[in-house]
Structures are given as C-alpha cells and as structure tokens.
Amino acid sequence: MDKEKVIIYTDGACSGNPGPGGWGAILMYKEARKEISGGIKETTNNIMEMTAVIEALKCLKVESEVEVYSDSAYTVDTFNKGWIYNWMKKGWKKANGDPVKNKELWIELYELTQKHKVKFIKVKGHADNEFNNRCDEMARNAIETI
C-alpha cells in the first residue's frame, strides 16, 4: 500500500536572537490544508525553525511520504548533507568536537523522521513562495501573541 503524501511548509522567526520567537507550518494533504503556529518567550531563530518542522510532523496520524519545504538551511542541510548522522555517530559532537546545539530537538526531529519517509527541500525565504510567506506571517504573528 502506498503511503499518504503530505506536503509541509514551515518557517520560524525571532525578534532578537535570542528573543521572543514564533513558528508556523502548513500541512497539505490532497485538498485539505491545516495551519498551525506557536511561540516561545525566549528562544532562537534556529529553535523556531526546527520546532515548526517537529510540530508539523507530530500532526501526522499515519505513516506518510512527506515533503518538508523550509527556508532554514540549518534544518534542511542537517538532513540532506548527513550532518545529523555524523553527530549521532560522534556522540552528538560536531566535527570540531564541540557539542551539537539543540541536541534534544534534533533527537526529537530525527525520531519523527523515522516514522515517515521525509524529504527536506530548501526554499528561498522572503521570496515569491506563497506558502513560505504565509508560514513567515504566522510565525511573526505568533510572536505578537506571547
């Protein structure tokens, strides 16, 4: 049986880095579309970018084939360039021996990607992608509500 195909767009934002932050995600399945967002009082932009992907993947109820579109090179490259696998092999240390930042979030994100077939796709931020722009708007709006 084929897996369900889901498209996810995500974005994170921070007012100051660190500072108040927000995230937004759009999940699309067939004709259905769901928007989710949230914020944290004191965080970083990278944490918000990762949180958007984590929260979106948590919404999936069945094993799915997922395309995650993000303007975060940090998030996309960690999987597409294999950094996360090297970090795990080295006990969550980077190539230079420093500890990996946001380890708990990376572990959670990795575990979620193991439940689905996930492909990460980098999009240009603040450009002409309507879904990325909407996620950015939701992330910035979430900052205003915390």
Side-chain angles (χ1 to χ4, degrees):
M1 189 169 102
D2 286 341
K3 291 181 177 122
E4 303 294 343
K5 290 187 168 95
V6 178
I7 293 174
I8 296 174
Y9 279 83
T10 66
D11 200 15
C14 224
S15 182
N17 198 19
W23 58 268
I26 301 170
L27 296 91
M28 293 179 269
Y29 169 69
K30 295 183 180 176
E31 301 303 315
R33 180 170 146 173
K34 178 178 183 172
E35 294 186 350
I36 59 172
S37 62
I40 299 176
K41 286 186 181 187
E42 187 71 16
T43 188
T44 67
N45 189 63
N46 283 339
I47 289 172
M48 291 295 87
E49 295 282 4
M50 295 169 65
T51 299
V53 179
I54 289 167
E55 293 302 324
L57 289 173
K58 282 182 178 178
C59 288
L60 302 179
K61 303 295 183 217
V62 298
E63 187 177 335
S64 304
E65 188 173 311
V66 184
E67 290 181 352
V68 174
Y69 292 85
S70 171
D71 63 12
S72 169
Y74 179 63
T75 304
V76 172
D77 288 351
T78 293
F79 285 89
N80 288 351
K81 294 187 176 180
W83 301 342
I84 194 161
Y85 310 108
N86 291 330
W87 296 340
M88 291 187 314
K89 283 182 205 166
K90 294 180 180 186
W92 293 99
K93 301 251 189 269
K94 296 190 291 186
N96 65 4
D98 290 346
V100 171
K101 290 181 182 175
N102 308 312
K103 172 185 166 185
E104 293 77 19
L105 289 174
W106 285 123
I107 290 169
E108 185 176 12
L109 183 51
Y110 174 78
E111 288 172 356
L112 286 164
T113 64
Q114 298 310 292
K115 296 178 181 179
H116 308 281
K117 182 179 178 190
V118 180
K119 178 179 179 183
F120 286 90
I121 300 156
K122 175 82 170 62
V123 297
K124 187 174 182 185
H126 311 285
D128 60 356
N129 185 301
E130 69 172 298
F131 301 118
N132 180 259
N133 289 339
R134 175 63 184 139
C135 289
D136 179 62
E137 179 183 12
M138 289 189 300
R140 287 184 286 108
N141 288 342
I143 294 171
E144 302 301 318
T145 65
I146 54 174

